[in-house]
Each structure stands twice: as C-alpha cells, then as structure tokens.
Amino acid sequence: LFIKENKSRKTIYYDRIAPFINGYAFVQKNNKFGVINEIGNEIIPCIYNDIFNHDRINAYKEKDLFGFMNDKFEIQTDAIYTNYKFIDKNCIAVSKEKLWGLIDLNYNELTLCRYQEIKSLCNGFIAACDSDKWGYIDIKGNVIIPFSYQEVSDFSQDKTAIVKESHYKWYIINNKGTVLSEIRGTYDEFTSFYNGLSIYLYPSRNYYGVIDLLGNIVIDKCDSAEFYKEGILIKQYIIRGYHHRN
C-alpha cells in the first residue's frame, strides 16, 4: 500500500507504485493504472487498463485497445490500435482489426493498416505480407520488391535475402529483387544472412546446415547450429562435442 499526503492533507491510496523513472512513476489502484510525479501529484488518474514505458514513447491500454502518450504522459492518440511493436527506433508498426501499418514517433501515419504482418526494419527494408504474399517496403510504405513470395528473410548487411517462391523452392536475391542464385535441395527454413552465412533446417527438423551467399553448402547435417560471435556454433552428437567454426 502506498500512501501520499499532499498539501491539502488529503490522503491518496494506491495498491502499487513502480519505481520513479525520469521523475514519473506508474501507480495502480483498483486494477487501473495512472501516473504520478515525484511530489505525488497525479499526472494521469488511475483510469487505464495498463501503461507501458518505451523511453520517449509511452503507450496506454484502454479496454482492449492501445494509444500513445509522449514522454510527459500527454495523450497523443486515442486508443484505436489492437496491437503495436517497435520495428525501428524511429518507427512503430500498429494494427487495426488484425491488419498492420506504420506510424512515426510523431504519430503521423506512414502507411494504412493494410498488411497481414510486418517484420522489423533491416538495412532499409521492411518485410511485409499482403494478400498472403510477402514482399518488401521502405519506411514510407513504398513497395521496393513486389509481394510475390511465400516466405522471406530480413535483408542482411550484404544486401541479400532468402525468399521462398513455392514449395521447397528457395532463392537468394539482392536489394533490387534480382535472383542471385537458386538454393538447390529440400529445406524447411532459413535464417537471414549473417557474416555471409545462413542456417537452414531440413524438413524432418532433425538436422541443420549452413550455406554461403552463393547457396553453396558449408556445413551439412549437424544436430544444431546457431550464430555465435563472429562464427557459427554447431553440435554433432556423432563426435560428442562442440565445434566453433568461423
């Protein structure tokens, strides 16, 4: 129980108070959340289902919808979004009725909420899904690579990505959408390229492998593989040990 006595000697009760951050603290009363400052004044009364701090941005939940506040907890948008996620330090993906769009940190609409899914911004590209097909847009919503793939990876620093055109038909493309090479073989999943390498998963999901930027197999059929520092950590039960391969 938190009790604060202000200048009028009125006692204010809270069920919970969070630590102060930048002069503000979240408080809870009767399963509702609000905000107070360091001298105990209520900046926001306990009327919201939840409040979330994200550095310069604060979000609040009213019933089942989200809205946004600035760093002084002033309301900037109504609670009109069903979900949100930060895809870059300067961009927020927001959803309405299960469709996603983009807004900037000034809450200006960059794209309509029209995409089934939006991934993170990576090297200037945002993977997005429209009408069950994946493609790439920029931060302003301009289509860079058309929506024509079943699955896509994020673009790497090498300006390459792995895309799936159809069942077990995978390609490596550049940032113009040009196919650099076809990945031959039967694979279920690929990671984004990191330091020129991508980890793949066999359909049985029992084995992993690694390819390079040309689609050549570097490591095949190991029991697990994961990126580790500047290389890849692989595990192979046959030899009962671990290997770090650069």
Side-chain angles (χ1 to χ4, degrees), residues 52-59 68-71 86 92 104-107:
F52 310 89
N53 174 256
H54 302 287
D55 194 16
R56 292 176 293 167
I57 301 295
N58 295 287
F68 294 100
M69 310 171 182
N70 61 18
D71 57 353
F86 288 82
I92 309 171
D104 62 23
L105 296 194
N106 292 317
Y107 317 102

Side-chain angles (χ1 to χ4, degrees), residues 221-223 234-244:
K221 289 188 177 180
C222 56
D223 291 301
I234 64 170
K235 180 166 66 175
Q236 180 59 269
Y237 290 125
I238 295 174
I239 56 178
R240 296 184 180 180
Y242 295 83
H243 292 270
H244 176 225

Side-chain angles (χ1 to χ4, degrees), residues 164-212:
K164 182 181 180 181
E165 187 179 71
S166 59
H167 192 58
Y168 297 140
K169 202 171 185 68
W170 297 85
Y171 297 96
I172 300 172
I173 63 171
N174 64 15
N175 60 350
K176 304 295 184 183
T178 303
V179 173
L180 301 178
S181 62
E182 180 181 352
I183 302 173
R184 300 187 181 278
T186 304
Y187 309 110
D188 254 5
E189 187 179 330
F190 287 87
T191 66
S192 302
F193 279 108
Y194 178 71
N195 287 336
L197 299 174
S198 172
I199 298 171
Y200 59 83
L201 186 62
Y202 278 95
S204 64
R205 308 190 75 81
N206 291 326
Y207 295 105
Y208 295 79
V210 180
I211 62 168
D212 62 18

Side-chain angles (χ1 to χ4, degrees), residues 7-19:
K7 292 181 180 179
S8 64
R9 305 192 67 81
K10 178 183 177 182
T11 302
I12 305 173
Y13 296 87
Y14 297 108
D15 300 320
R16 189 173 72 88
I17 179 170

Side-chain angles (χ1 to χ4, degrees), residues 15 28-33 48-49:
D15 300 320
Q28 181 181 11
K29 181 167 61 177
N30 298 326
N31 293 321
K32 297 289 185 178
F33 290 84
Y48 296 114
N49 293 75

Side-chain angles (χ1 to χ4, degrees), residues 100-113:
W100 290 85
L102 300 174
I103 62 173
D104 62 23
L105 296 194
N106 292 317
Y107 317 102
N108 299 310
E109 186 178 81
L110 301 175
T111 72
L112 296 174
C113 291

Side-chain angles (χ1 to χ4, degrees), residues 3-242:
I3 304 175
K4 175 68 185 178
E5 187 172 303
N6 61 21
K7 292 181 180 179
S8 64
R9 305 192 67 81
K10 178 183 177 182
T11 302
I12 305 173
Y13 296 87
Y14 297 108
D15 300 320
R16 189 173 72 88
I17 179 170
F20 281 92
I21 300 176
N22 298 325
Y24 299 97
F26 295 159
V27 290
Q28 181 181 11
K29 181 167 61 177
N30 298 326
N31 293 321
K32 297 289 185 178
F33 290 84
V35 179
I36 62 171
N37 62 18
E38 287 182 315
I39 61 175
N41 293 330
E42 279 193 337
I43 306 302
I44 296 175
C46 293
I47 58 175
Y48 296 114
N49 293 75
D50 214 336
I51 301 177
F52 310 89
N53 174 256
H54 302 287
D55 194 16
R56 292 176 293 167
I57 301 295
N58 295 287
Y60 68 95
K61 187 174 184 181
E62 191 171 24
K63 296 182 179 179
D64 292 324
L65 298 174
F66 296 92
F68 294 100
M69 310 171 182
N70 61 18
D71 57 353
K72 296 181 180 179
F73 294 95
E74 297 167 333
I75 301 294
Q76 302 298 301
T77 73
D78 293 333
I80 56 176
Y81 302 111
T82 54
N83 206 346
Y84 71 94
K85 58 184 177 182
F86 288 82
I87 65 168
D88 179 70
K89 63 181 180 180
N90 295 313
C91 188
I92 309 171
V94 292
S95 68
K96 292 180 181 179
E97 298 179 354
K98 299 183 179 180
L99 293 177
W100 290 85
L102 300 174
I103 62 173
D104 62 23
L105 296 194
N106 292 317
Y107 317 102
N108 299 310
E109 186 178 81
L110 301 175
T111 72
L112 296 174
C113 291
R114 52 166 293 184
Y115 302 108
Q116 292 166 280
E117 182 58 271
I118 289 179
K119 294 186 179 181
S120 295
L121 175 67
C122 290
N123 299 299
F125 291 77
I126 302 170
C129 184
D130 187 9
S131 300
D132 296 323
K133 293 292 185 179
W134 285 87
Y136 296 90
I137 61 175
D138 64 18
I139 200 167
K140 295 181 180 179
N142 300 313
V143 177
I144 305 174
I145 296 175
F147 300 94
S148 56
Y149 300 108
Q150 290 185 359
E151 295 180 35
V152 297
S153 75
D154 291 328
F155 264 90
S156 67
Q157 292 180 337
D158 300 305
K159 297 181 179 180
T160 55
I162 297 177
V163 297
K164 182 181 180 181
E165 187 179 71
S166 59
H167 192 58
Y168 297 140
K169 202 171 185 68
W170 297 85
Y171 297 96
I172 300 172
I173 63 171
N174 64 15
N175 60 350
K176 304 295 184 183
T178 303
V179 173
L180 301 178
S181 62
E182 180 181 352
I183 302 173
R184 300 187 181 278
T186 304
Y187 309 110
D188 254 5
E189 187 179 330
F190 287 87
T191 66
S192 302
F193 279 108
Y194 178 71
N195 287 336
L197 299 174
S198 172
I199 298 171
Y200 59 83
L201 186 62
Y202 278 95
S204 64
R205 308 190 75 81
N206 291 326
Y207 295 105
Y208 295 79
V210 180
I211 62 168
D212 62 18
L213 288 169
L214 298 176
N216 299 316
I217 293 176
V218 179
I219 301 170
D220 193 29
K221 289 188 177 180
C222 56
D223 291 301
S224 72
E226 59 182 291
F227 291 113
Y228 178 75
K229 295 183 179 179
E230 297 303 315
I232 292 179
L233 180 69
I234 64 170
K235 180 166 66 175
Q236 180 59 269
Y237 290 125
I238 295 174
I239 56 178
R240 296 184 180 180
Y242 295 83

